[in-house]
Amino acid sequence: MHGLGRSVMKIGIIGAGNIGGNLARRLTALGHDVSVANSRGPETLKALAEETGATAVRAAEAAEGAEVVVVTVPLKAVPGLSSGLLSGAAEGVAVIDTGNYYPRQRDGRIAGIEDEGLTESRWTERHLGHPVIKAFNGTYAQDILDRPRPAGDPERMALPVAGDDEAAKRIVRDLIDELGFDTVDAGGIDDSWRQQPDTPVYGLRAGAEAVRKALAEASPERPAAFRG
C-alpha cells in the first residue's frame, strides 16, 4: 500500500516516447511497480529507469504479471508486437491504448481502418487479441506532469475513456483519477471515433462538462487530413 491507501499495481508500459515516459514518471512517483519497454531494447532506457525507478525490460516481458498494460507505440508498429504479448499478464488485465492514426504524417494507409471502417482502437484490439481501453490519445504528454489537480479542483482536466470491458474501464478511470484527472465515459470502442485526431475533444484541456459536450459534437466522418 502507499500514499492514499490505494494498492500498488504492477504496470507495464510498452513504448517510451513522450506519453509512455511521462506515465512512467508519474506512476512510479505514485508508488506503482512499473516496467517499461521500447522497440530498441532495455539498455536504451537506462536513463529513464535510473530517473524513475521503473524497470527497463524487453517488450515481450513488459506485460508479465501486469494488472495494467499501456500500449503507446505508433499505430504502424502495432502489428509488429509479439502475438503472445499479453499471455503472461495478470487475469483481468486492463490494456490502455493511447494510439492515433496519422496516415499521412507517419503510419501510411491502414486497410482495416480505411476500408472496413474500424475505429483505430478496434483495429489495435484485433492485433493484440485482447480488449483495450482508449485513453490519453488526445492528451498532451507534458500535461501528465504539469496539470494534475486534486478531485474537486475547478481547474481539474477531464479525459475521455472508451472501452467495452466495464471492469477494465473502471480500473483505468480509477488510475487516471489517481494521476490527478477526471474522466468521462466515452462509450464503447466502436464509439471511440469521438476522440480520434481532429475531433472537438482531441487535445481539449477542459473539465468533464466541456469534454461531454465535445464528444457529443464529434462527426463520424474521418477528416480528409486523417485519411490515407
Side-chain angles (χ1 to χ4, degrees), residues 14-20 39 71-79 97-110 113-114 120-121 123-124 134 136-139 141 196-197 202 222 224-228:
I14 299 166
N18 295 335
I19 292 277
S39 59
V71 178
T72 180
V73 301
L75 226 62
K76 65 179 180 180
V78 168
D97 166 35
T98 77
N100 292 305
Y101 177 43
Y102 300 118
R104 301 188 181 190
Q105 302 95 320
R106 184 189 67 196
D107 298 314
R109 189 179 193 280
I110 293 176
I113 293 172
E114 300 283 0
E120 297 162 12
S121 286
W123 181 84
T124 296
K134 190 174 189 76
F136 298 111
N137 72 292
T139 307
Q196 290 177 171
Y202 185 80
R222 186 175 291 281
F226 291 91
R227 291 202 293 265

Side-chain angles (χ1 to χ4, degrees), residues 13-22 25 36-39 45 48 72-73:
I13 300 176
I14 299 166
N18 295 335
I19 292 277
N22 285 351
R25 290 177 176 94
V36 63
N38 65 7
S39 59
L45 293 171
L48 181 65
T72 180
V73 301

Side-chain angles (χ1 to χ4, degrees), residues 178-212:
E178 192 184 347
L179 284 164
F181 302 93
D182 286 336
T183 57
V184 170
D185 190 331
I189 286 298
D190 289 336
D191 304 310
S192 64
W193 55 266
R194 292 183 181 275
Q195 65 194 76
Q196 290 177 171
D198 213 24
T199 57
V201 84
Y202 185 80
L204 181 66
R205 291 165 156 146
E209 195 175 328
V211 166
R212 281 190 199 95

Side-chain angles (χ1 to χ4, degrees), residues 11-171:
I11 299 173
I13 300 176
I14 299 166
N18 295 335
I19 292 277
N22 285 351
L23 283 174
R25 290 177 176 94
R26 289 295 320 288
L27 292 166
T28 51
L30 289 166
H32 294 294
D33 176 5
V34 177
S35 294
V36 63
N38 65 7
S39 59
R40 300 192 309 280
E43 60 284 351
T44 65
L45 293 171
K46 194 169 174 229
L48 181 65
E50 286 176 358
E51 176 197 342
T52 62
T55 306
V57 297
R58 300 193 180 285
E61 301 160 355
E64 199 64 40
E67 297 153 86
V68 174
V69 173
V70 183
V71 178
T72 180
V73 301
L75 226 62
K76 65 179 180 180
V78 168
L81 295 173
S82 159
S83 59
L85 188 68
L86 299 165
S87 59
E91 192 175 344
V93 61
V95 179
I96 300 174
D97 166 35
T98 77
N100 292 305
Y101 177 43
Y102 300 118
R104 301 188 181 190
Q105 302 95 320
R106 184 189 67 196
D107 298 314
R109 189 179 193 280
I110 293 176
I113 293 172
E114 300 283 0
D115 302 335
E116 292 180 59
L118 298 178
T119 60
E120 297 162 12
S121 286
R122 182 68 77 195
W123 181 84
T124 296
E125 191 175 88
R126 285 191 179 181
H127 278 285
L128 295 176
H130 193 284
V132 302
I133 306 298
K134 190 174 189 76
F136 298 111
N137 72 292
T139 307
Y140 292 102
Q142 196 59 34
D143 287 353
I144 294 169
L145 300 183
D146 294 347
R147 288 180 177 251
R149 297 287 187 275
D153 188 309
E155 295 294 306
R156 200 181 212 221
M157 282 171 48
L159 310 185
V161 178
D164 300 332
D165 181 332
E166 291 301 325
K169 193 188 276 185
R170 174 43 56 200
I171 291 168

